[in-house]
Amino acid sequence: MAQVPLFWKLAVEDVGELRSWARPGLMPIERPHVTLLYLGAKASAEVARINDLSSQELQLMEETLLQIDGSEVMFEVTEVLEHPGMIVAVVALPSHVPCAARFPYMTLCRSDLVVPAFARSLLEDRGSCQVSALSPPRRLRGIISLEMGTNSRATAPKDPTIFAGTLLRVETHPRASHQTEPTGNATLYVGSEEKSRAIAAELAASARERPMGPETYKLKVRPQAPGKPGHLYLKWGAVAGSLQAAEIASILEVRLQELLS
């Protein structure tokens, strides 16, 4: 099967003492890396939209990464975020290394129950994490490279509109047009039906007080109306229309873990 470009990365062979950051039930990442630009074997317009870049910004970033492909880079780890489902290292990159992520990071270990994109939600909403600042920062070495592989989503597609996490199930609804705000629903499984609805109301109230996920998502959460599917009604901005159920579930579960702890 043909290989396709998946993402540009800063590959790290040895994370040194960061290996000591572990938690029962979490598996260490075999090939730790900092994702610089996600491609996913998609067309340029879709890549730009996913990474919140203009077409010109994307072109410049790809040209820069091609120029420094294979080069060795020293960078710093400034913080470590610990969550029951994942441990993430926050990194500071040299100015000449472009990165599409607002907060560059490297996942150290992860539970099979959370998706890799869960890291982005943790970085945007740290309330459910134990944050450890590293002073002085730890210096590591990495190599700029392009990750190639088969497009598993194309060969064995999963339904992107449905995702069952550890605490809830999210389903997204069909959109009438790209200008229409996307919607969906979430069903909690945190105990009895009565408890699930009570926690859903707490989650909706928490979302009103403190937005969840990146600001650009404009994620809104409210208790579901009687007779409608699920415990929560979800709506988010049309600019984030490509969001899949798995990422929405990860964002919601970050806040749920906080409420239940």
Side-chain angles (χ1 to χ4, degrees):
M1 185 171 294
Q3 297 280 292
V4 295
L6 300 179
F7 53 88
W8 280 97
K9 65 181 180 179
L10 181 59
V12 183
E13 283 193 12
D14 186 6
V15 297
E17 64 185 76
L18 293 178
R19 284 191 298 269
S20 63
W21 293 85
R23 186 185 287 257
L26 302 186
M27 295 297 294
I29 302 300
E30 291 185 7
R31 297 190 297 163
H33 63 273
V34 180
T35 298
L36 303 175
L37 177 65
Y38 176 74
L39 303 171
K42 299 180 183 296
S44 294
E46 181 67 8
V47 172
R49 186 160 65 97
I50 291 172
N51 290 284
D52 197 21
L53 299 170
S54 68
S55 57
Q56 293 81 6
E57 288 171 330
L58 175 61
Q59 181 179 353
L60 179 60
M61 184 173 291
E62 289 186 306
E63 289 175 353
T64 302
L65 288 167
L66 283 169
Q67 290 172 2
I68 61 177
D69 185 17
S71 62
E72 184 176 277
V73 172
M74 296 297 298
F75 68 100
E76 294 183 338
V77 176
T78 58
E79 295 176 302
V80 174
L81 276 55
E82 293 184 86
H83 180 274
M86 181 178 281
I87 298 178
V88 177
V90 182
V91 309
L93 299 173
S95 59
H96 72 283
V97 177
C99 182
R102 180 182 176 190
F103 302 109
Y105 68 91
M106 175 175 61
T107 302
L108 299 176
C109 49
R110 176 174 67 87
S111 165
D112 289 338
L113 299 177
V114 299
V115 296
F118 186 55
R120 296 200 299 271
S121 301
L122 292 180
L123 290 160
E124 294 283 353
D125 184 3
R126 299 181 173 202
S128 62
C129 299
Q130 178 180 332
V131 181
S132 300
L134 303 184
S135 182
R138 306 304 190 263
R139 288 181 61 80
L140 295 177
R141 178 182 290 106
I143 302 293
I144 303 289
S145 61
L146 177 61
E147 178 77 6
M148 302 290 291
T150 56
N151 190 350
S152 59
R153 290 186 178 179
T155 56
K158 297 180 180 179
D159 187 350
T161 68
I162 299 173
F163 182 81
T166 56
L167 299 172
L168 51 75
R169 177 183 184 273
V170 169
E171 181 174 354
T172 61
H173 303 157
R175 297 168 64 191
S177 71
H178 288 299
Q179 287 72 42
T180 306
E181 284 191 325
T183 61
N185 66 74
T187 302
L188 278 62
Y189 25 87
V190 291
S192 65
E193 178 67 13
E194 182 179 357
K195 180 178 180 180
S196 292
R197 292 200 175 276
I199 295 297
E202 289 185 36
L203 182 60
S206 177
R208 288 194 298 271
E209 295 172 1
R210 181 160 52 96
M212 293 188 288
E215 292 182 7
T216 54
Y217 290 0
K218 298 181 180 178
L219 180 60
K220 299 173 185 176
V221 181
R222 71 168 186 251
Q224 184 65 287
K228 299 290 186 178
H231 300 121
L232 292 167
Y233 174 79
L234 312 173
K235 180 185 284 189
W236 55 100
V239 69
S242 62
L243 272 179
Q244 296 186 357
E247 187 165 359
I248 298 170
S250 293
I251 293 171
L252 295 176
E253 289 202 342
V254 169
R255 190 65 59 84
L256 268 176
Q257 292 278 5
E258 184 179 331
L259 293 174
L260 295 172
S261 62

